[in-house]
């Protein structure tokens, strides 16, 4: 599906959610903060509205607010329901430009934290280590990515190799390596093989998060792909952010 059709689909999904009150009075009245599936669906709805604000409404402030809400929901799920640490959700939090939320993500852990950094969770860990300038731990992550590349299939190996190249670029602040890695990751043929999501032609995760990390560290790259929207890369926080739901206000800082 091409970008135009994907945008049309996104608009319909957001309109449907709005009409049935998914993010409104009805939802707030019956929201169950102990229902993990419900909270994950709520995250998806805010992610969709953030993408709509960004790509259809040209409203960066609204997009960053929705992405901030996604980050707070994910933070709640990790801290109170011990859910998995996902680079795709880290990416959306980074795009919020909320410094307090991003600082929180740099320290987030679940009960599987130590085990996960030796396997698929390594990318989340590496993103944290970039934020905290922990290059010793980042070099360990790079070694793990190399190991994962050697024991997986073709497209998985390519993905881990590109991630490894990106993080090597970050350790040395080498923009060309970073750009090379991201260009390979958002190659249209490779990207469609790797990702199964209705947002496949709208934004790439964790690639957009990787690009954002580069900007946070002062490497102002521009990837010529609509999968990494350039307008979201400069660090421009909203003047204010609000916490959408009472249970988040009560249990998160």
């Amino acid at each position: 599906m091409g970008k135009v059709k994907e945008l049309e689909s996104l608009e319909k999904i957001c309109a449907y959610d709005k009409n049935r009150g998914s993010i409104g009075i009805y939802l707030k009245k019956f929201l169950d903060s102990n229902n993990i599936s419900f909270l994950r669906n709520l995250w998806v709805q805010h992610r969709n509205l953030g993408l709509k604000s960004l790509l259809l409404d040209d409203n960066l402030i609204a997009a960053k607010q929705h992405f901030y809400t996604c980050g707070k929901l994910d933070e709640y799920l990790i801290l109170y329901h011990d859910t998995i640490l996902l680079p795709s959700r880290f990416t959306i939090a980074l795009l919020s430009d909320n410094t307090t939320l991003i600082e929180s993500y740099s320290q987030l852990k679940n009960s599987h934290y130590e085990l996960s950094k030796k396997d698929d969770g390594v990318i989340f860990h590496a993103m944290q280590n970039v934020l905290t300038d922990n290059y010793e731990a980042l070099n360990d992550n790079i070694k793990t990515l190399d190991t994962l590349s050697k024991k997986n299939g073709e497209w998985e190996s390519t993905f881990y190799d590109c991630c490894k190249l990106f993080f090597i670029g970050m350790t040395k602040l080498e923009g060309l390596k970073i750009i090379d890695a991201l260009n390979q990751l958002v190659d249209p043929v490779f990207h469609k093989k790797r990702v199964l999501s209705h947002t496949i032609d709208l934004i790439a995760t964790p690639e957009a998060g990787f690009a954002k990390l580069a900007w946070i560290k002062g490497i102002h790259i521009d990837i010529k792909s609509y999968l990494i929207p350039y307008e979201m890369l400069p660090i421009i926080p909203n003047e204010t952010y609000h916490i959408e739901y009472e249970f988040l206000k009560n249990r998160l800082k």
Side-chain angles (χ1 to χ4, degrees), residues 2-127:
K3 183 183 180 183
V4 173
K5 290 185 178 179
E6 292 284 3
L7 287 170
E8 291 173 355
S9 175
L10 178 66
E11 189 167 31
K12 290 177 183 177
I13 290 169
C14 290
Y16 175 73
D17 285 340
K18 182 178 180 182
N19 289 337
R20 69 175 181 166
S22 292
I23 304 180
I25 296 172
Y26 178 86
L27 183 146
K28 291 176 183 177
K29 183 177 179 181
F30 295 102
L31 188 148
D32 180 0
S33 61
N34 292 313
N35 187 324
I36 295 175
S37 178
F38 186 90
L39 295 176
R40 285 172 172 161
N41 287 333
L42 186 57
W43 184 95
V44 170
Q45 290 164 12
H46 277 287
R47 189 274 314 274
N48 289 345
L49 286 170
L51 290 174
K52 178 181 180 293
S53 298
L54 170 65
L55 301 172
L56 290 171
D57 303 337
D58 195 26
N59 187 336
L60 293 183
I61 292 174
K64 291 178 183 183
Q65 173 59 51
H66 282 298
F67 294 155
Y68 172 74
T69 299
C70 285
K72 299 304 287 184
L73 286 166
D74 193 41
E75 183 183 12
Y76 180 87
L77 281 163
I78 292 166
L79 292 177
Y80 290 100
H81 294 292
D82 199 33
T83 56
I84 193 169
L85 305 171
L86 294 172
S88 58
R89 298 196 170 203
F90 202 154
T91 293
I92 296 300
L94 288 171
L95 295 180
S96 75
D97 276 345
N98 183 280
T99 53
T100 302
L101 177 65
I102 292 169
E103 171 62 24
S104 175
Y105 260 79
S106 75
Q107 306 296 329
L108 269 181
K109 295 181 180 181
N110 62 10
S111 64
H112 310 292
Y113 188 79
E114 292 303 320
L115 287 175
S116 67
K117 65 185 180 184
K118 299 176 183 178
D119 208 326
D120 289 346
V122 65
I123 295 171
F124 192 100
H125 293 268
M127 293 169 76

Side-chain angles (χ1 to χ4, degrees), residues 21 37 99-100 106 124 138-139 145 236 239 246:
S37 178
T99 53
T100 302
S106 75
F124 192 100
L138 186 55
N139 282 321
L145 287 166
I236 308 173
E239 289 187 9
E246 287 299 320

